């Protein structure tokens, strides 16, 4: 009896130790990953013109960098927000019906397997290749230096991923729900609008978040498809900000901090839907 109790106690102690070690390891990993973010915010609060003079902790706060960032970059943040929001709408409008069509075997889409393969392949194409191809096309269509051009270009990054993500969720929706709706007289679009879309809410929110992040962080299309200063997303303005104000590191870091807020807030608000959407979910 004592031997059994002793063995159980040792096993419990080992489990507790292993749990503590995993916790410590997790904290160390998170600390390493978040350190660049901390240093960005820390530098922005110290008003440092020289990165080498930045202290480890912002003991004397200086918000001059944020004042410079707001004065010079607020309009560019609005431009990025407009482009990213438009790209999300385009992605969902195209990807949701496409994902539904690829997920339903009853529709019998010819070449559906080939389409899925091509969607995966498109994720492997470097962005610079797409940007160079779009530049010639946009020049002929008059979409250079236009909001519509950047919205469509950024949406092209998110559409394949959104289709793959939403399709993996929609295939788990019971076919009996669709069949019951059709028996009641619902046509295909009504089924999609009234049944598929509400049940796929988690995957659609997840797809929208990723599409927003793709467009919000885009630099390649912003650099390639704009040739003036009429439409300048924040990623491009930060690049030019370094060249024009090389010594204003506090302002640059403040701009980067402000640019991180919308994406971080969106992830926090949508994390519940993202967790359900990525794992595919289940329909009861």
């Amino acid at each position: 009896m004592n031997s059994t109790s002793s063995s159980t106690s040792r096993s419990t102690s080992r489990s507790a130790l292993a749990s503590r070690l995993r916790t410590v390891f997790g904290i160390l990993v998170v600390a390493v990953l978040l350190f660049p973010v901390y240093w960005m915010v820390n530098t922005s609060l110290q008003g440092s013109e020289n990165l080498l003079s930045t202290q480890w902790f912002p003991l004397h706060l200086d918000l001059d960098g944020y004042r410079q960032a707001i004065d010079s970059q607020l309009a560019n943040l609005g431009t990025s927000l407009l482009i990213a929001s438009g790209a999300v709408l385009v992605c969902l409008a195209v990807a949701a019906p496409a994902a539904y069509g690829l997920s339903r075997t009853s529709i019998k889409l010819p070449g559906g397997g080939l389409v899925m393969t091509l969607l995966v392949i498109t994720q492997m194409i470097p962005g610079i290749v797409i940007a160079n191809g779009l530049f010639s096309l946009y020049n002929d269509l008059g979409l250079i230096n236009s909001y519509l051009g950047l919205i469509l270009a950024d949406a092209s990054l998110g559409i394949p991923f959104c289709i793959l993500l939403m399709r993996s969720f929609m295939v788990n929706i019971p076919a009996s729900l669709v069949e019951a709706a059709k028996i009641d007289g619902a046509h295909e679009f009504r089924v999609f609008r009234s049944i598929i879309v509400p049940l796929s809410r988690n995957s659609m929110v997840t797809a929208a978040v990723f599409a927003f992040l793709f467009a919000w962080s885009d630099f390649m299309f912003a650099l390639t498809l704009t040739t003036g200063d009429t439409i300048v997303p924040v990623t491009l303005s930060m690049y030019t900000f370094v060249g024009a104000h090389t010594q204003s590191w506090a302002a640059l870091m403040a701009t980067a901090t402000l640019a991180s807020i919308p994406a971080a807030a969106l992830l926090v608000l949508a994390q519940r839907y993202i967790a359900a959407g990525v794992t595919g979910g289940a329909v009861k």
Side-chain angles (χ1 to χ4, degrees), residues 30-265:
V30 171
V32 170
L33 294 176
L34 290 181
F35 180 77
V37 178
Y38 166 75
W39 198 252
M40 175 183 70
V41 177
N42 179 42
T43 304
S44 70
L45 293 173
Q46 294 191 37
S48 302
E49 293 186 354
N50 185 353
L51 286 180
L52 298 179
S53 66
T54 303
Q55 303 298 317
W56 281 93
F57 302 100
L59 301 178
H60 305 287
L61 299 182
D62 186 342
L63 299 180
D64 186 61
Y66 283 92
R67 283 189 284 268
Q68 293 183 47
I70 292 174
D71 291 341
S72 62
Q73 303 294 334
L74 190 60
N76 299 326
L77 286 168
T79 298
S80 288
L81 184 61
L82 176 61
I83 293 173
S85 300
V88 169
L89 294 177
V90 173
C91 282
L92 292 182
V94 175
Y100 172 60
L102 291 170
S103 67
R104 296 267 74 89
T105 56
S106 60
I107 295 180
K108 297 181 181 179
L109 180 68
L114 177 61
V115 172
M116 295 300 299
T117 302
L118 292 176
L119 287 174
V120 174
I121 292 175
T122 59
Q123 300 296 288
M124 307 176 187
I125 300 176
I128 186 61
V129 175
I130 300 175
N132 288 335
L134 286 179
F135 183 83
S136 299
L137 177 63
Y138 276 26
N139 188 53
D140 295 336
L141 297 176
L143 292 177
I144 299 293
N145 293 323
S146 68
Y147 286 102
L148 178 61
L150 286 178
I151 287 173
L152 294 178
D154 288 335
S156 69
L157 294 176
I159 287 175
F161 178 81
C162 292
I163 291 176
L164 294 171
L165 178 64
M166 287 190 281
R167 178 191 175 276
S168 66
F169 189 94
M170 291 179 181
V171 294
N172 293 322
I173 297 178
S176 58
L177 294 178
V178 177
E179 294 171 0
K182 290 183 177 180
I183 291 175
D184 290 338
H187 49 77
E188 202 69 60
F189 179 75
R190 179 66 181 276
V191 171
F192 171 73
R193 185 189 65 186
S194 301
I195 297 178
I196 302 300
V197 170
L199 291 177
S200 303
R201 180 186 61 179
N202 291 336
S203 66
M204 293 185 71
V205 172
T206 304
V209 170
F210 279 98
F212 181 90
L213 294 177
F214 290 154
W216 183 260
S217 61
D218 169 63
F219 174 75
M220 188 61 64
F221 289 143
L223 179 64
T224 307
L225 303 178
T226 58
T227 58
D229 56 359
T230 54
I231 300 177
V232 183
V234 69
T235 50
L236 184 59
S237 68
M238 290 174 61
Y239 172 72
T240 57
F241 195 86
V242 174
H245 308 281
T246 308
Q247 298 301 317
S248 300
W249 289 107
L252 177 62
M253 294 301 181
T255 302
T257 302
L258 293 175
S260 303
I261 292 176

